[in-house]
Amino acid sequence: PADTSDAAQARVRSAPAPVTDVARLCVCDLLVAQCDTNCCCDPDCSAEDFSLFTTCSIPVVIGDSQLCSQKAAVYSLDVEANPPERIFKLIDQVNPSIFCIHATNYEQALYLKSPEIPTAENFDELLDKFGGATFSAEPDSWNLDPDAQNPSEANETSRYEYGVPVQTEDAFLRLPSPVVSSWCSDANPAGFLVNQATKCIRSVSVEKCDSIQALSMLFYINSSILASVFQVNITVQSIAVQSVNGMRTFLSSGEALRLPMVLDGLCINAVLGVNYHITHTDTGEIIEAAAAFVLGAISREALSIEQSFEISFTQENTQPVPLSGNPGYVVGLPVRAGFQPQGYPFPAAFLSNKHSQLTILHSTSTQDCLAAQGARAPVLFGYNMISGCKLRITAAMKCQPLAQTLLDVLKGQSFPEYVASFGNSQAQDVLDWVPITQLHISEQMISHTLQSSCQIPVSLEIEVKWTKYGSLVNPQARIVNVTATITSTTLKQLPSGRDRIIPITSSVVFTDISSPAEPSYKAWPTINIKLPFDFFYPFV
């Protein structure tokens, strides 16, 4: 019927009823029954307080920025009035995005649901739901197979996704870590593709060391990891025994498991560190798991020990690439470099060099350039470096082979074409790689006959320009330009029986080209607040 269609169109045109009264919403109201400085929406502030404000710290207050249409409270100051006054307006704000929420009709998401109070009737049900080491509001997200009753009964699981706990036969792969205090908690699951490194304190007793599970190697490898089709056993990659004075000795690969035991008042073969290494496919299937152990001895006087745990993930048929920051470069870490693949009309990907680093000539004790050929030192971000050597030239040396040899000494066998702009730039991220601009400068020397002279490179100067990128609170170092300048000189022919020594130098200079921030504000408001005595409760 026509009237039904018109009613439906009217409902579409009409905006939903507002759920949040933005006129009463104030996110900068922090003090109870007191006026917050420059908080124009604070109901505790009077007209006299508003006259002392310099600006409105929160000029616009809205309910949900994803709504298509909603009310917005706009606050400002009329500084021309005497005294200055606060101006309040309630306007209709339209979201220009085509992806917006027309009506918030899921009422359960608009309110905080009161937790269920344990009673004698529901206690067992709540214990099964929340009594474990971990729980989630969406239990299915923790299980790789929602239809399985128990992980140990599952014959086939789905592929892992990022952050999902790595499941084992009994629970999940443990990566002990400190939770509230520095003491170890074994309830921390290892997340898929989440590289972690933790250290924590474990309470021990030498008399009972053979019965403390966390000190035994079996505690960390006795459960198989649930994979896509089959279960993956955790193999022992290596075992290092650490003496009381800290010296480590690696055992042969054929050594059997060493379990903790008491010997001469010491607890030997106690686990001090575990390093997991997980290999997976590009589809998220775990195909291999290995663990490297550090075992040590615990004296009778020790009441606790420090244990370290680490886990890393590597995709099969790939080599792990070391990072130099996340995302920005860290001072002292190598500058990452690479090449553009041959045959590509555009830089679609980058192949890293042998060490994935930008390198310069490494000085040797003899200072002989011919002996130093092949010796390279990585360029460390933020460190200005200079190195060099000396070359003895005789009349018997040929010009072209000599020039090529010096070029190899300065640039290395394979000088990279690109440098990663960030410390964690990936090869497939084309825009994260900066091309190296190579310049050649010739220094002319006086020569009697041009036919008896040749050009040889004598120096390589690398200038790395970088800038601070991102937030002013936590800026990240980003490389924006790299220039490699090779300086050549004209060497005239030496008389027979004469030789000459020339210096060869290589240097790297880092230049910060960050422009100083220009704040859009006139002055920061000064707030003098004394925190309540129990502000950090229950922490000290």
Side-chain angles (χ1 to χ4, degrees):
D3 56 345
T4 305
S5 177
D6 295 340
Q9 294 180 3
R11 286 195 300 269
V12 172
R13 289 192 298 267
S14 62
V19 178
T20 303
D21 187 3
V22 293
R24 297 183 179 181
L25 188 64
C26 188
V27 295
C28 58
D29 185 9
L30 304 179
L31 299 178
V32 179
Q34 295 185 41
C35 178
D36 292 82
T37 305
N38 288 340
C39 183
C40 295
C41 57
D42 192 347
D44 298 320
C45 297
S46 61
E48 183 180 358
D49 296 326
F50 291 137
S51 64
L52 301 177
F53 286 4
T54 57
T55 184
C56 290
S57 58
I58 306 295
V60 180
V61 178
I62 60 176
D64 189 348
S65 59
Q66 295 181 343
L67 292 177
C68 298
S69 177
Q70 61 178 318
K71 294 290 184 179
V74 180
Y75 299 91
S76 61
L77 292 177
D78 184 5
V79 295
E80 297 181 356
N82 189 16
E85 298 177 350
R86 184 199 69 169
I87 301 176
F88 169 73
K89 293 181 181 180
L90 196 63
I91 62 174
D92 292 324
Q93 189 174 29
V94 178
N95 190 349
S97 175
I98 61 174
F99 301 103
C100 58
I101 300 174
H102 176 71
T104 53
N105 51 11
Y106 184 52
E107 296 183 358
Q108 296 182 4
L110 303 177
Y111 306 96
L112 178 62
K113 185 178 179 180
S114 300
E116 191 174 358
I117 300 176
T119 61
E121 290 75 16
N122 65 359
F123 181 80
D124 292 336
E125 180 184 354
L126 295 179
L127 182 62
D128 294 338
K129 185 176 181 180
F130 302 105
T134 59
F135 61 87
S136 172
E138 299 178 1
D140 292 343
S141 64
W142 292 88
N143 298 326
L144 299 180
D145 188 357
D147 299 330
Q149 298 294 329
N150 193 304
S152 61
E153 300 174 1
N155 295 325
E156 186 174 346
T157 60
S158 304
R159 295 179 176 90
Y160 284 93
E161 297 180 356
Y162 177 85
V164 174
V166 178
Q167 291 196 344
T168 58
E169 293 177 311
D170 52 357
F172 47 78
L173 185 61
R174 303 180 183 91
L175 193 71
S177 64
V179 182
V180 178
S181 62
S182 59
W183 297 100
C184 292
S185 172
D186 298 325
N188 179 43
F192 184 65
L193 295 183
V194 181
N195 296 333
Q196 299 183 62
T198 62
K199 289 184 179 181
C200 55
I201 305 298
R202 179 86 62 180
S203 177
V204 296
S205 175
V206 174
E207 291 77 8
K208 302 178 181 179
C209 79
D210 54 351
S211 62
I212 301 177
Q213 293 185 346
L215 299 182
S216 174
M217 295 176 58
L218 292 176
F219 181 71
Y220 304 98
I221 62 173
N222 60 354
S223 296
S224 300
I225 295 177
L226 300 183
S228 179
V229 180
F230 51 87
Q231 296 180 356
V232 177
N233 295 325
I234 303 177
T235 60
V236 179
Q237 187 178 37
S238 64
I239 300 177
V241 178
Q242 179 173 302
S243 62
V244 179
N245 57 5
M247 183 176 296
R248 293 186 179 181
T249 304
F250 283 92
L251 304 181
S252 60
S253 58
E255 290 274 355
L257 295 180
R258 294 198 172 192
L259 301 179
M261 59 182 298
V262 181
L263 181 64
D264 297 334
L266 296 176
C267 175
I268 63 174
N269 300 331
V271 174
L272 301 181
V274 183
N275 190 338
Y276 290 108
H277 185 76
I278 309 297
T279 304
H280 63 90
T281 64
D282 57 350
T283 58
E285 300 179 21
I286 295 178
I287 60 176
E288 187 178 349
F293 289 90
V294 176
L295 306 181
I298 306 174
S299 62
R300 188 181 300 273
E301 293 78 13
L303 300 178
S304 62
I305 61 171
E306 183 183 62
Q307 292 180 311
S308 60
F309 303 92
E310 188 173 351
I311 186 170
S312 59
F313 295 83
T314 302
Q315 184 176 327
E316 65 172 344
N317 300 326
T318 60
Q319 294 294 332
V321 179
L323 302 181
S324 297
N326 189 22
Y329 275 97
V330 176
V331 175
L333 294 184
V335 174
R336 304 175 62 233
F339 302 91
Q340 180 179 351
Q342 296 293 333
Y344 277 67
F346 52 88
F350 294 90
L351 301 177
S352 300
N353 60 0
K354 182 178 180 181
H355 301 289
S356 303
Q357 299 170 359
L358 182 65
T359 61
I360 64 171
L361 169 66
H362 180 68
S363 300
T364 61
S365 57
T366 59
Q367 293 293 305
D368 186 0
C369 289
L370 299 181
Q373 188 175 5
R376 311 293 296 176
V379 175
L380 305 181
F381 182 82
Y383 286 5
N384 296 337
M385 308 169 64
I386 185 170
S387 62
C389 59
K390 296 180 180 180
L391 178 66
R392 181 182 296 274
I393 300 178
T394 62
M397 288 184 175
K398 301 296 183 180
C399 177
Q400 293 300 328
L402 177 60
Q404 185 61 43
T405 299
L406 289 178
L407 194 61
D408 293 341
V409 169
L410 290 173
K411 300 179 61 176
Q413 293 295 330
S414 53
F415 193 75
E417 301 173 347
Y418 293 85
V419 165
S421 59
F422 291 101
N424 66 345
S425 297
Q426 300 299 318
Q428 62 271 18
D429 298 333
V430 180
L431 298 180
D432 274 1
W433 293 83
V434 178
I436 299 178
T437 304
Q438 300 192 28
L439 303 178
H440 295 267
I441 300 178
S442 298
E443 293 181 351
Q444 297 294 336
M445 295 181 62
I446 298 177
S447 176
H448 297 290
T449 57
L450 295 178
Q451 292 79 5
S452 61
S453 63
C454 70
Q455 290 277 338
I456 60 171
V458 294
S459 69
L460 170 63
E461 300 175 359
I462 301 177
E463 183 182 16
V464 180
K465 296 181 179 180
W466 65 281
T467 183
K468 297 182 179 70
Y469 180 84
S471 171
L472 294 175
V473 179
N474 185 24
Q476 302 294 312
R478 175 186 182 183
I479 294 178
V480 295
N481 181 269
V482 179
T483 304
T485 304
I486 297 178
T487 303
S488 301
T489 185
T490 303
L491 182 65
K492 60 183 180 180
Q493 183 68 36
L494 294 175
S496 178
R498 298 283 299 274
D499 57 7
R500 179 183 176 186
I501 297 178
I502 60 174
I504 307 297
T505 60
S506 180
S507 63
V508 178
V509 176
F510 287 85
T511 305
D512 184 4
I513 61 172
S514 303
S515 58
E518 297 179 359
S520 58
Y521 51 82
K522 296 182 179 180
W524 284 106
T526 302
I527 304 177
N528 186 12
I529 300 176
K530 183 178 180 181
L531 296 176
F533 71 95
D534 57 349
F535 184 80
F536 293 102
Y537 181 82
F539 304 103
V540 179

